[in-house]
């Protein structure tokens, strides 16, 4: 089943600037899709469109086969199904305590009692119960990120829209986010992730390169075997890919382990 | 300069932390237990009474009443007093001091060719005390009320949802702005190697504040989107049921008595 069908969508900001032109995309249920592109490519704008926070200037977006309209914006069912993790956790954390922030969505959906219970469960799941009564004002960057993740996952979404979830995090917290996305993938949740992080891209079933329009659509491996695309997306080429290109090898390994396997395969052959 | 900046930062840190962390609102004190609607009405009545007072002795009595309420609400009296008087010098400087010389009456002393009058001094003291007392009640209210409850109280007074949304957004926006400003101040301190001259350092500060406002403006929009995305619909979710209890009745009776007796006394009816 298709979760999203984006048909000829263009979006112009009230300032008159066209952020997106003629976008076509389809996203299947249970898929993990990465969206990459340089700064100002319209990635965040696209996620806002997918979360029905703004409506397309032209074209239409179908969610589970039904067009997204003005009504979708305040439809509790849609809000529960789709979770949006903002790039900056500061815009999501405002209440007096982390617990109240995490409960904000659930309380709107299910009322106070169930909402608070859900929020507590989610904090436990993420291993940040100790932050429950803390004020978001004094959290560290990583703690804020986790708290904002809990804000989204406490609503038990089936579709996750993630805007640069690993940016500004240290290695340990990046790994944490990565593991979480792996978990969602295993649970067959639909994940759309905007990122520059190579390890996240590798996790995706498909990648879109965006720069006002869709420049490329394919698997991560296909993307990394095309240096000109990588450049247009302003991505770092993984060192190991560079090495393989330098050596004139046709394969494109996505990790050091994979490269090791390919190379040892080459060495074993006489 | 260093002193001015440090003071500004301290005040900002202190107020934002205190206001936004709602630390004192979770204590089990008298005002914390009051129904928020009743508390709002009582506050308005008390402040209106204080502002109309002409007799310094009665103003002093009301000031001590505020201190008693602070103690009964388990607020740290020193912190409470500090917070009240931090605002007073500004008012005093602007209005009270000139009036010492402007109100006609019997000469008290002469300075720089200006004549201070006993009447003027009396008026300045009365004014300052009245401001301090009114501010005390306002601060009592903010230190013991949770934002959620204030919003629910507004909703129960049939304030339209749109107004409440705007108020909430403003609250969040100010929160974010204060945070950005503090971050900017901290990072500036960290980067500042040598001491800058007065003019340069103010120029620097101006630049920072400008950049902060631009950043906050961009985030302001996202604050609303982040609320919408989590199911907010311009309607206030009643966080707690309002029910008047014994404390509420007792408090309203005492407040009403105090105010009525004061009015009767000052109007010469007693
Ligand atoms: N609120 C806004 N008002 C006007 N123009 C905007 C607004 N937000 C973004 N834009 C413009 O739309 C274009 C796309 O912005 P968008 O934030 O979607 O890019 P992005 O791909 O997410 O970039 P980044 O990698 O920096 O996050 C940019 O040119 C930007 O200047
Ligand atoms: Mg972006």
């Amino acid at each position: 089943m298709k979760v999203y069908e984006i048909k000829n969508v263009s979006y112009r900001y009230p300032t008159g600037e066209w952020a997106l032109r003629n976008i076509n995309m389809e996203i299947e249920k249970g898929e993990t899709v990465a969206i990459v592109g340089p700064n100002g490519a319209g990635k965040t704008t696209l996620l806002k469109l997918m979360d029905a926070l703004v409506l397309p200037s032209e074209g239409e977006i179908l969610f589970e086969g039904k067009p997204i309209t003005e009504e979708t914006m305040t439809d509790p069912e849609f809000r529960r199904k789709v979770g949006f993790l903002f790039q900056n956790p500061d815009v999501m954390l405002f209440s007096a305590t982390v617990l109240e922030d995490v409960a904000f969505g659930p309380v709107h959906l299910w009322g106070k009692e169930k909402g608070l219970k859900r929020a507590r469960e989610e904090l436990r799941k993420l291993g940040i119960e100790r932050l429950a009564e803390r004020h978001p004002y004094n959290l560290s960057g990583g703690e804020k990120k986790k708290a904002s993740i809990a804000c989204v996952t406490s609503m038990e979404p089936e579709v996750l829209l993630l805007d640069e979830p690993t940016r500004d995090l240290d290695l340990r917290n990046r790994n944490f986010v990565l593991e979480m996305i792996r978990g969602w993938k295993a649970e067959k949740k639909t994940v759309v992730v905007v990122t520059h992080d190579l390890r996240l891209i590798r996790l995706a079933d498909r990648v879109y390169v965006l720069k006002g329009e869709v420049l490329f659509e394919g698997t991560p491996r296909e993307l990394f075997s095309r240096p000109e695309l990588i450049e247009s997306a302003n991505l770092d080429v993984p060192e190991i890919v560079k090495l393989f290109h330098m050596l004139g090898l046709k394969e494109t390994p996505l990790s050091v382990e994979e490269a090791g396997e390919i190379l040892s395969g080459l060495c074993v052959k006489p | 300069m260093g002193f001015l900046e440090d003071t500004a930062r301290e005040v900002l840190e202190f107020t934002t932390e205190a206001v936004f962390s709602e630390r004192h609102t979770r204590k089990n004190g008298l005002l914390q237990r009051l129904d928020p609607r009743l508390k709002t009405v009582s506050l308005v009545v008390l402040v209106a009474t204080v502002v109309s007072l002409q007799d310094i002795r009665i103003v002093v009595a009301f000031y001590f009443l505020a201190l008693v309420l602070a103690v009964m609400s388990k607020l740290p009296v020193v912190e409470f007093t500090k917070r009240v008087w931090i605002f007073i010098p500004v008012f005093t400087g602007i209005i009270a001091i000139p009036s010492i010389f402007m109100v006609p009456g019997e000469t008290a002393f002469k300075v720089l060719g200006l004549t201070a009058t006993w009447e003027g001094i009396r008026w300045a003291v009365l004014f300052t005390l009245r401001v301090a007392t009114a501010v005390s009640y306002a601060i009592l209210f903010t230190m013991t009320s949770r934002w959620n409850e204030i919003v629910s109280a507004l909703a129960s007074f049939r304030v339209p949802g749109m107004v409440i949304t705007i108020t909430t957004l403003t609250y969040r926006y100010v929160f974010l702005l204060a945070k950005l400003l503090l971050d900017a101040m901290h990072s500036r301190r960290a980067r500042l190697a040598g001491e800058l001259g007065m003019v340069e350092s103010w120029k620097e500060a101006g630049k920072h504040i400008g950049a902060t406002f631009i950043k906050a403006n961009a985030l302001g929009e996202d604050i609303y989107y982040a609320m919408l995305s989590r199911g907010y619909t311009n309607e206030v979710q009643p966080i707690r049921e309002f029910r008047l209890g014994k404390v509420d009745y007792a408090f309203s009776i005492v407040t009403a008595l105090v105010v009525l007796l004061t009015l009767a006394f000052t109007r010469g009816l007693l």
Side-chain angles (χ1 to χ4, degrees), chain A residues 13-20 37-46 48 87 163-164 167 194 196 210, chain B residues 218 221:
Chain A
Y13 275 101
T15 48
E17 187 174 357
W18 287 95
L20 293 169
N39 290 136
K43 306 179 297 288
T44 301
T45 310
L46 182 62
K48 279 185 192 159
Q87 190 171 326
D163 201 351
E164 311 223 19
R167 194 155 94 178
V194 165
H196 290 105
L210 198 70
Chain B
E221 206 178 61

Side-chain angles (χ1 to χ4, degrees), chain B residues 99-111 114-123:
Chain B
S99 68
I100 292 178
F101 304 100
M102 277 151 60
V103 176
E106 203 181 318
T107 306
F109 59 88
K110 288 188 185 200
V111 87
L114 291 168
T115 311
T117 64
W118 287 115
E119 269 306 294
I121 292 171
R122 200 193 76 83
W123 197 88

Side-chain angles (χ1 to χ4, degrees), chain A residues 48 51 53-54 79 84 86 88 90-92 94 96-97 100-101 104-105 108 112 133 135 137 151, chain B residues 16 20-22 26 146 148 172 175-176 179 182 219 222 225-233 237 239:
Chain A
K48 279 185 192 159
D51 196 30
L53 297 175
V54 293
R79 291 291 165 222
F84 186 176
F86 284 72
N88 184 345
D90 281 340
V91 305
M92 301 180 75
F94 287 98
T97 64
E100 273 175 47
D101 261 326
F104 181 93
H108 274 93
K112 193 192 166 190
E133 294 304 320
H135 180 42
Y137 198 75
C151 289
Chain B
T16 42
F20 292 107
S21 75
E22 308 193 334
R26 269 167 282 167
R146 317 203 59 178
N148 278 335
R172 298 189 156 201
F175 176 85
L176 201 69
K179 207 151 75 164
L182 274 174
L219 292 176
D222 282 349
Y225 287 142
M227 286 165 66
L228 191 62
S229 175
R230 284 153 76 195
Y232 186 77
T233 51
Q237 219 54 33
I239 289 293

